[in-house]
Amino acid sequence: MDGMRFEDLSLGQSARFAKTITEADILLFSAISGDNNPVHLDAEAAATSFFGERVAHGMLTASLISGLLGTRLPGPGAVYVSQSLKFRAPVRIGQTVVAEAEVVALDPARRRATLRTTCSAAGVLVVEGEAVVMIPPREAAPAG
């Protein structure tokens, strides 16, 4: 495991991850999640929707936060405890989503960090929330 340890974290520490949402991403997410809502898959049906065109699944967008926490901050070894989400705007096929996380609280007794999480596309906030993760401690030095 090459992720951070609880002792490596500090308030204000942040990371980001960007990904362009493709047609394939939407099709694969639909197959994995079982969410085949026409607003994601059917251009004709989506044209008559609130959005006026096909949009990515909100949870597909939010899943980029999971990737960020599991690979960058805090990274491998971190365990998700909770995640709140507010969906603010749609993401369209071809848009690049930037997921960001910032450490806003640390609980040393429980080795938990609270992170402010956001996703934006074209400079517009599309998802915001808060994550709590457990982080392993630094290994104790061998007695000796």
Side-chain angles (χ1 to χ4, degrees), residues 28-48:
L28 289 168
F29 190 84
S30 178
I32 291 166
S33 67
D35 181 351
N36 58 5
N37 185 325
V39 76
H40 307 304
L41 304 173
D42 182 332
E44 283 184 32
T48 65

Side-chain angles (χ1 to χ4, degrees), residues 38-56 90-93 95:
V39 76
H40 307 304
L41 304 173
D42 182 332
E44 283 184 32
T48 65
S49 75
F50 174 80
F51 302 112
E53 65 182 306
R54 289 175 59 204
V55 296
V91 172
R92 289 165 171 72
I93 298 169
Q95 285 190 309

Side-chain angles (χ1 to χ4, degrees), residues 115-132:
L115 299 100
R116 182 178 58 84
T117 56
T118 61
C119 292
S120 58
V124 174
L125 180 68
V126 297
V127 177
E128 66 180 331
E130 185 175 90
V132 176

